Amino acid sequence: MSLPIGYDTSLLCEMNIVPDKFEWKFYPTDEPYNKAANIILSKASYRLIHEFRPNKKKSELLVPVKDELVAGDYQCLAYYGAFVVASVPWRITLARLGQSHPQKSVSVTVQAGNIVSWRCDVPESNPLAYVDYTKDDKYISPPDVGNRVKSMILSHVNVSESGVYKCSTTNTIEKRNLDSTLKLEVTHHAHQKAPFFISQPVSEHTATKGSTLFLECSAVGKPIPKVVWYKKFQSQLPAHRTEVIAGGLLIKNISSRDDGVYVCNHTNSHGSIFHEIMVKYREEPSLDCSINATDINQGENRDLECEVRGTPEPEISWFLNGFSLLNDSRIEAIGNKIYFRPIEKRHAGNLQIFARNIVQTVYSSIRIRVIPLPTSIDEIPTPLHNRPRHKPKKSRVTKRPSRQRAPKMIPPSKPVVSRVKDDTVVVRWNISNNNGLSILFFKVQYKEIPFANQTYTSNKGWNTANTDIAPNINAYEISDLKPDHFYKFRVAVVYSNNDSIMSQMSKKFHLRSIDFDKKNPLPVCLITHVETISHSSIKVYWNCPPFNVTIDGFYIHYLIATRAGDDYVVVTVEGSDVRSYVINYLHPETSYDVKLQSFNQKLASELSPMMKGRTGVSPVNPPTTTTPTPIITKGANIYVIIAGGVVGFALVVTGVILLFVCRKWQRNKLPDTQDKSNSIPNHIQADASDYMVESKTLSKANGCTLPGNKITITSNPLADTEKNPTVIEMRNLANNNVRQQPDSPSDTTLTNTSKDKHKRRNNIRESREDCSTDSNYV
C-alpha cells in the first residue's frame, strides 16, 4: 500500500489456532517511493518488533507513517513452541506525484469520421497515476475495455466535437492539472493527407495472466485510413481472444502465448504508417513441493526440491521456523533446492519456501520431524526374569462415558459446469444441511478427459486452482482450458478441523468452441443501479432485453474499484426471472466495480457495462437510553430475586439444624443391652449407618478385600490412661488397623485372651500375604 506522510495504518495478522505469541519482522528499503523495489527476504537486513498477546488469534501492528524510514516489508511470525509460521510480507511505500514532463500543445484539423486519439504523458507516481480529459470543463469518459486507458479516444468525430481539450492527472492522493492542450478542428472538407499520429502510441505494455490488455494505436488522415493488426513473426493474432475496436486492439484473457511484438498499420490512398508495440507477459509465482511433511533420522543427508514457476523468474528464499537459513553451516540452499548435510535435531519444525516476483509473493510449507538417535544414557529396559513378580491387579471396571461423535462433514454437491468462453468455464456447487463444523474455504479441481479414440495416460491427473474460495462463494471461474476438449471437475471443502471432503465428479463436460464471427445468442442484461444496503452489503438491480433462448441464471462479477487488474469474484444467481441480488461480506466504505452475465449450461453472455457501487459507513453503537418503566421493572425483578434468596437460605439453615438435632437424638437413644466394650473410656463404636463400607469401597490389596464389613474408629487415649490394660489392648488392636466384627452387634464381646488375639492376628497376616500389598487400612 502507498500512503502519504502523516497517515497511519495498521497491519492485521490472524491465525486459525491461538499461537504462543506473535512477532513482526521489518525489512527496510532504500527506495521508499518504489512499490516494485526488490527486497530479497533471505538476504535483506531486518529488525524485530515484539508483539506478545497470549490467548489471541490476531495481532494488529500500528504503523505511523512519519517519514521515509517506515517504508519496506512487514512480516508476521506466529510461534507454536519451536514451530514458527511466517506470513507473506506486506509492502508499505510512500505516495507521491512526481514533476510533470514538459509537453507540447497540439493543434490539428481532421476529416469528420476519423478516430482521434490524444494522450498526455503521466509523471512518475506512486501509486500509479491516471489521466482525466475534459472539454469545456466536461469530463470525457474513457472507453470501457477492462483497464484504465491512458489516452483520450474519440470515435467517428463530428463537427460538434471541435474545441480545446485539457488534461489533469491524479494518483488518488494528489490531483494536478497538466499544461498540455489539444485544439481540435473537425471539418467535412479537410485536405487530402496520408495517415499520421496526433500522439505517438506507447511502445511497451506489460500484462498479467488472465487480464485484459488494450493496445492503443490510432491514426487520422483523408481519406479515413484503414487499420490492420498482426503479430510480428507470426502474422496471425491470438484466435478468439482479440478484437479490433476504435483506437486500438483488445486482447482478452492474456496468457503466455500473447508475449511478443504487435504491429498496427494504418493505410489510405496517400500512404501508410505503422507502429510496433512490445507486450511483456507476467505471471504470479506458483510452488509445488510434492510433499507437505517428512520424517528424517538425525544425522542423515536429505535433499528437498520444489517446482517453481512464474514470469519473470521468481526470487527464492528458504526459511526455517521464521528465519533465513543462509548462516546455517549444515544447510545449503540453491534456488529451488535445499540440502541438509546432515540434518540435526534443531532443524525440526516448519520449513518454508518463498517465491517472489513483480506480480506477487507466495510460499509453501514442509513440516520436518527429526527422529533422534539413541544415546548411551538412554534407559535400558529391565529383563523380564529380573522383574518382581506380582499378581495381576484387578481393576475396578467402570463404565466409560460414551464419546460424543464428531460433527459430520457434509460434502459439496456434484458441480455444475457452464461455458463462459472458448477456454473458460464457471463451476457451481452448494452445500445443504451443514449444521456442524464451519467451512474455511473451497478448492476446485479439474482434469482433462481423453477423446473416445485416445488412451488415458497417467500423467493427466487433477489440477487444483490456487485460489482459496471463501465460504460464502459457490462459483469459480477456470480459465486457460483447451477448446473442444473434455473435462471433469470436482470441489473440495475444508472445514474448521483442517480436514476436507470431496464432492462427486461432475459429468463429462465438452468445452465447445464457437466460431469467431458467430453472434452470442444470450442476452446482455444491463445493470440499472447499485443500492447501498449496509456497511457490508450492496444490492444490484438489472434489466434484460426480450430474449427467445433459455437462460439458467446470472453471474455477478465484482471487484474493489482500486484493484483494477485483479480477478473478479463471481457469485451465481439462479433463475431467469430474478432482477436483483444482494452481495454480502464486503468491506465498509469501499467502492466496487460490478458487471453481469446471463448464462445457461452451454454458454454465457458477453459482460455488461461496468457499474459502480459503494458500501455504507461502519455502524457505531449508539448510547443506550433508559426510561422510567424499564428501571422500575428491573428494580422489582431484583427485589424478587433477593427475597427468594433470603427465603431459600432460611430453609437450608432450618433443614441443617433439624438434621443435627435428629442425629443427636438418635445417638443418645442406645439399647440397654449394649456390649461391655461400649463402656470403655475414649472408645467410639461406629454406627452401622455412619461407617458401613460397601464391599466395592473397602480398601483393596492387589484386588483382595479384607474380611468384615464394619470399621471401628478408635480415638487417641489421654495421657492419664496409659496404664489402663483395656486401653493398651485397644491400642494393640488399633496398630493392626483392622477390627474384626461379628455379624450381629449385640454379640460383640471384647476378649483379652491371648488365644483369641493370636487367632485374629493370624487371620490378618494370611490376608496380607495372599494379597501381597502395602496398602494402608483404616
Side-chain angles (χ1 to χ4, degrees):
M1 66 183 74
S2 301
L3 299 170
I5 293 178
Y7 279 63
D8 294 346
T9 188
S10 60
L11 305 176
L12 181 64
C13 180
E14 183 175 6
M15 304 296 292
N16 61 339
I17 301 175
V18 177
D20 299 330
K21 70 173 183 178
F22 285 104
E23 202 170 43
W24 292 80
K25 293 168 72 176
F26 169 55
Y27 303 84
T29 178
D30 296 330
E31 303 177 66
Y33 299 97
N34 180 14
K35 66 178 182 180
N38 188 23
I39 300 178
I40 303 176
L41 297 176
S42 60
K43 299 179 181 179
S45 60
Y46 63 87
R47 62 182 177 90
L48 291 175
I49 305 173
H50 298 285
E51 180 75 4
F52 182 76
R53 293 189 179 184
N55 301 322
K56 297 289 184 181
K57 291 184 179 181
K58 300 179 182 179
S59 176
E60 186 173 3
L61 181 66
L62 179 64
V63 182
V65 184
K66 297 180 179 179
D67 50 35
E68 296 180 351
L69 299 179
V70 302
D73 284 357
Y74 292 80
Q75 189 176 38
C76 175
L77 304 180
Y79 285 77
Y80 298 90
F83 188 93
V84 184
V85 180
S87 71
V88 172
W90 289 268
R91 173 70 57 87
I92 292 182
T93 56
L94 300 182
R96 73 169 177 179
L97 185 61
Q99 295 299 320
S100 303
H101 303 292
Q103 301 182 51
K104 295 181 180 180
S105 295
V106 181
S107 180
V108 64
T109 301
V110 300
Q111 174 74 24
N114 271 281
I115 298 174
V116 173
S117 177
W118 176 57
R119 188 186 73 259
C120 289
D121 291 332
V122 179
E124 293 182 1
S125 173
N126 184 40
L128 189 65
Y130 57 92
V131 184
D132 291 331
Y133 295 92
T134 59
K135 176 195 174 188
D136 301 330
D137 296 328
K138 292 183 179 180
Y139 175 72
I140 300 174
S141 299
D144 181 18
V145 291
N147 63 349
R148 297 189 175 186
V149 179
K150 300 297 188 298
S151 299
M152 179 189 73
I153 299 175
L154 303 177
S155 178
H156 307 292
V157 294
N158 53 50
V159 176
S160 64
E161 293 179 283
S162 299
V164 178
Y165 293 83
K166 299 180 180 180
C167 57
S168 62
T169 184
T170 181
N171 64 353
T172 69
I173 304 297
E174 181 182 353
K175 184 176 182 180
R176 183 182 305 163
N177 293 325
L178 302 177
D179 297 332
S180 181
T181 60
L182 168 66
K183 185 177 181 181
L184 178 65
E185 181 181 356
V186 182
T187 178
H188 292 291
H189 306 288
H191 296 290
Q192 301 284 326
K193 194 169 186 180
F196 67 95
F197 296 122
I198 297 177
S199 296
Q200 188 71 13
V202 177
S203 297
E204 185 175 297
H205 287 274
T206 58
T208 58
K209 179 182 178 180
S211 64
T212 299
L213 179 63
F214 181 64
L215 305 180
E216 306 167 23
C217 183
S218 180
V220 296
K222 185 179 179 181
I224 298 172
K226 295 181 179 180
V227 61
V228 175
W229 284 86
Y230 60 92
K231 192 173 182 182
K232 202 170 183 178
F233 310 118
Q234 292 186 10
S235 298
Q236 294 183 351
L237 296 174
H240 313 302
R241 295 185 295 106
T242 57
E243 182 180 358
V244 178
I245 63 175
L249 177 69
L250 187 66
I251 308 176
K252 301 177 183 178
N253 196 18
I254 291 289
S255 67
S256 58
R257 302 188 298 272
D258 300 325
D259 193 87
V261 178
Y262 293 78
V263 180
C264 63
N265 192 338
H266 297 265
T267 305
N268 65 9
S269 56
H270 293 276
S272 65
I273 187 173
F274 71 92
H275 180 73
E276 294 184 352
I277 302 174
M278 169 67 75
V279 173
K280 293 183 177 180
Y281 173 76
R282 290 177 176 175
E283 182 178 346
E284 69 276 5
S286 62
L287 291 166
D288 183 7
C289 295
S290 70
I291 59 171
N292 54 19
T294 182
D295 293 347
I296 309 175
N297 293 322
Q298 179 186 352
E300 284 187 357
N301 295 338
R302 178 61 64 90
D303 301 340
L304 298 175
E305 180 179 0
C306 295
E307 183 180 353
V308 182
R309 295 179 295 273
T311 307
E313 184 178 354
E315 290 277 359
I316 304 298
S317 298
W318 288 91
F319 279 30
L320 180 61
N321 292 323
F323 294 90
S324 173
L325 296 171
L326 289 182
N327 297 324
D328 194 318
S329 60
R330 299 294 186 182
I331 298 176
E332 184 178 11
I334 303 176
N336 62 328
K337 299 179 181 179
I338 187 168
Y339 308 94
F340 292 88
R341 294 291 186 273
I343 197 164
E344 299 178 355
K345 286 191 289 185
R346 60 187 174 86
H347 295 144
N350 187 31
L351 179 67
Q352 291 177 278
I353 176 174
F354 286 81
R356 161 177 281 190
N357 64 11
I358 190 65
V359 183
Q360 197 176 357
T361 302
V362 299
Y363 77 84
S364 184
S365 298
I366 302 175
R367 186 184 183 96
I368 295 181
R369 189 176 69 168
V370 178
I371 302 174
L373 295 175
T375 61
S376 59
I377 62 174
D378 288 343
E379 182 180 357
I380 301 175
T382 305
L384 290 176
H385 62 274
N386 291 333
R387 295 180 183 176
R389 296 182 180 180
H390 294 286
K391 293 182 179 180
K393 182 183 291 186
K394 297 180 181 179
S395 58
R396 186 171 58 192
V397 179
T398 58
K399 187 177 181 181
R400 296 183 179 180
S402 59
R403 295 183 179 179
Q404 186 178 2
R405 291 186 178 181
K408 186 178 181 180
M409 296 189 299
I410 306 298
S413 64
K414 180 186 293 187
V416 178
V417 186
S418 301
R419 179 193 178 281
V420 177
K421 303 174 186 175
D422 284 351
D423 62 349
T424 305
V425 299
V426 168
V427 182
R428 294 177 285 133
W429 65 91
N430 61 68
I431 289 187
S432 59
N433 301 324
N434 180 33
N435 298 322
L437 296 169
S438 58
I439 297 173
L440 294 181
F441 55 86
F442 295 101
K443 283 283 191 181
V444 176
Q445 293 185 324
Y446 62 96
K447 68 176 178 180
E448 183 182 342
I449 304 299
F451 292 100
N453 57 353
Q454 291 180 324
T455 57
Y456 182 78
T457 55
S458 60
N459 60 350
K460 292 186 178 180
W462 289 96
N463 300 293
T464 303
N466 290 330
T467 306
D468 292 345
I469 306 166
N472 60 297
I473 304 298
N474 62 350
Y476 186 73
E477 186 176 278
I478 302 290
S479 57
D480 289 335
L481 302 177
K482 299 176 182 178
D484 283 323
H485 281 65
F486 290 90
Y487 290 90
K488 280 194 176 183
F489 301 82
R490 66 185 184 186
V491 180
V493 55
V494 180
Y495 283 95
S496 56
N497 63 347
N498 290 324
D499 200 357
S500 63
I501 190 169
M502 194 74 66
S503 72
Q504 296 181 12
M505 287 189 296
S506 68
K507 296 179 180 179
K508 186 166 65 173
F509 182 81
H510 183 200
L511 182 56
R512 299 180 184 273
S513 61
I514 296 181
D515 294 337
F516 185 76
D517 57 349
K518 189 174 182 179
K519 185 178 179 181
N520 192 324
L522 295 184
V524 178
C525 300
L526 301 179
I527 300 175
T528 57
H529 66 285
V530 180
E531 177 186 355
T532 300
I533 300 297
S534 68
H535 68 285
S536 61
S537 304
I538 59 175
K539 190 171 186 179
V540 184
Y541 296 85
W542 63 88
N543 282 329
C544 296
F547 55 89
N548 297 321
V549 294
T550 301
I551 65 173
D552 297 332
F554 303 90
Y555 295 135
I556 298 179
H557 306 252
Y558 65 92
L559 175 70
I560 297 177
T562 56
R563 296 183 181 176
D566 289 356
D567 293 334
Y568 279 78
V569 180
V570 182
V571 294
T572 306
V573 183
E574 301 284 351
S576 60
D577 298 329
V578 182
R579 293 295 180 267
S580 65
Y581 184 80
V582 177
I583 305 176
N584 296 306
Y585 306 101
L586 304 179
H587 298 289
E589 301 181 66
T590 306
S591 294
Y592 284 85
D593 294 338
V594 185
K595 298 180 181 181
L596 186 73
Q597 280 180 299
S598 60
F599 74 89
N600 58 25
Q601 189 172 359
K602 297 180 180 180
L603 195 62
S605 72
E606 298 295 328
L607 285 166
S608 70
M610 183 180 66
M611 180 69 71
K612 288 188 178 292
R614 186 176 179 86
T615 52
V617 180
S618 297
V620 178
N621 294 329
T624 58
T625 59
T626 58
T627 61
T629 302
I631 290 177
I632 294 173
T633 303
K634 184 176 180 180
N637 292 336
I638 291 176
Y639 295 149
V640 171
I641 293 172
I642 292 175
V646 171
V647 172
F649 179 75
L651 292 175
V652 172
V653 171
T654 303
V656 172
I657 293 173
L658 290 175
L659 180 62
F660 179 80
V661 172
C662 292
R663 281 291 182 90
K664 191 74 174 176
W665 176 81
Q666 184 179 5
R667 289 181 179 179
N668 292 333
K669 188 179 178 182
L670 296 174
D672 296 333
T673 59
Q674 279 193 343
D675 188 16
K676 293 180 180 181
S677 64
N678 291 337
S679 63
I680 299 174
N682 302 314
H683 182 259
I684 304 174
Q685 176 66 42
D687 185 87
S689 62
D690 291 343
Y691 300 101
M692 287 291 292
V693 182
E694 298 296 331
S695 59
K696 59 184 178 182
T697 61
L698 283 170
S699 300
K700 296 183 178 181
N702 288 341
C704 299
T705 307
L706 293 179
N709 61 351
K710 294 184 181 180
I711 296 176
T712 300
I713 299 178
T714 306
S715 63
N716 292 327
L718 299 177
D720 56 358
T721 61
E722 293 289 340
K723 298 179 180 180
N724 190 328
T726 307
V727 174
I728 294 174
E729 175 62 22
M730 290 180 63
R731 277 185 172 179
N732 292 334
L733 293 177
N735 289 334
N736 290 321
N737 294 327
V738 177
R739 181 178 177 87
Q740 185 73 20
Q741 299 288 345
D743 295 337
S744 174
S746 60
D747 296 336
T748 303
T749 304
L750 181 63
T751 307
N752 293 325
T753 61
S754 59
K755 181 178 179 180
D756 293 339
K757 193 163 38 177
H758 181 69
K759 183 179 181 180
R760 283 195 298 269
R761 289 178 178 175
N762 287 340
N763 291 337
I764 294 173
R765 188 179 300 110
E766 290 174 1
S767 298
R768 290 183 177 177
E769 290 175 355
D770 290 341
C771 296
S772 299
T773 181
D774 58 354
S775 301
N776 293 325
Y777 302 101
V778 180

